[in-house]
């Protein structure tokens, strides 16, 4: 979908700059709008998906990027592990009172036990079984 939107925007800009008069011109517009859209969308999405989000768990909130969730809005949270691809990964997941769910990997420098104890002390409980 992103490729189509980028290609349409690039095509619109090319047509506005110099309106095509022949079928050859339309083919050039398609070429010069489709190719850059593919080059921007696919490598760009791959690159942007690998930029890490930092998660801040503070005394009264959980902040992920620009999104801030007050701890009073957190219904439940789990600090644990999950298995993917034969490897075990440490994760932090929480659910808000309005039903949104979040799942984040825990970095090497974070002590899972301390994070779980902090959340429990802040009044955030694990979901009922």
């Amino acid at each position: 979908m992103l490729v189509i939107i980028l290609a349409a925007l690039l095509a619109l800009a090319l047509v506005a700059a110099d309106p095509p008069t022949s079928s050859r011109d339309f083919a050039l517009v398609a070429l010069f709008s489709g190719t850059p859209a593919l080059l921007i969308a696919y490598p760009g999405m791959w690159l942007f998906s690998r930029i890490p989000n930092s998660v801040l768990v503070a005394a009264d909130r959980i902040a992920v990027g620009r999104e801030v969730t007050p701890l009073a809005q957190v219904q439940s949270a789990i600090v644990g592990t999950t298995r993917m691809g034969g490897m075990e990964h440490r994760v932090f997941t929480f659910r808000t009172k309005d039903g949104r769910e979040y799942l984040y990997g825990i970095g090497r420098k974070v002590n899972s036990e301390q994070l779980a104890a902090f959340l429990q002390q802040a009044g955030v409980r694990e979901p009922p079984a």
Side-chain angles (χ1 to χ4, degrees):
M1 186 63 152
L2 180 61
V3 174
I4 294 168
I5 293 170
L6 286 172
L9 290 173
L10 290 169
L12 186 63
L14 289 171
V15 169
D18 187 19
T21 56
S22 68
S23 60
R24 180 178 177 267
D25 290 344
F26 280 107
L28 287 173
V29 166
L31 177 70
F32 287 114
S33 61
T35 303
L38 287 169
L39 293 174
I40 293 169
Y42 288 108
M45 292 304 290
W46 178 85
L47 177 66
F48 294 134
S49 69
R50 276 143 181 81
I51 296 174
N53 276 334
S54 60
V55 178
L56 168 72
V57 180
D60 61 342
R61 67 191 178 280
I62 299 172
V64 180
R66 294 182 182 167
E67 186 174 352
V68 176
T69 304
L71 284 182
Q73 294 299 315
V74 176
Q75 178 180 341
S76 61
I78 299 174
V79 178
T81 60
T82 188
R83 292 192 70 78
M84 284 178 40
M87 293 181 61
E88 192 168 275
H89 300 279
R90 298 180 316 133
V91 295
F92 165 55
T93 182
F94 66 96
R95 173 184 278 227
T96 61
K97 290 180 179 175
D98 61 359
R100 291 182 291 154
E101 295 181 349
Y102 298 87
L103 173 71
Y104 296 100
I106 298 175
R108 291 180 193 95
K109 296 179 182 179
V110 177
N111 184 316
S112 298
E113 292 80 20
Q114 286 181 344
L115 177 59
F118 171 79
L119 289 168
Q120 188 171 20
Q121 187 179 31
V124 178
R125 304 287 181 235
E126 288 189 3

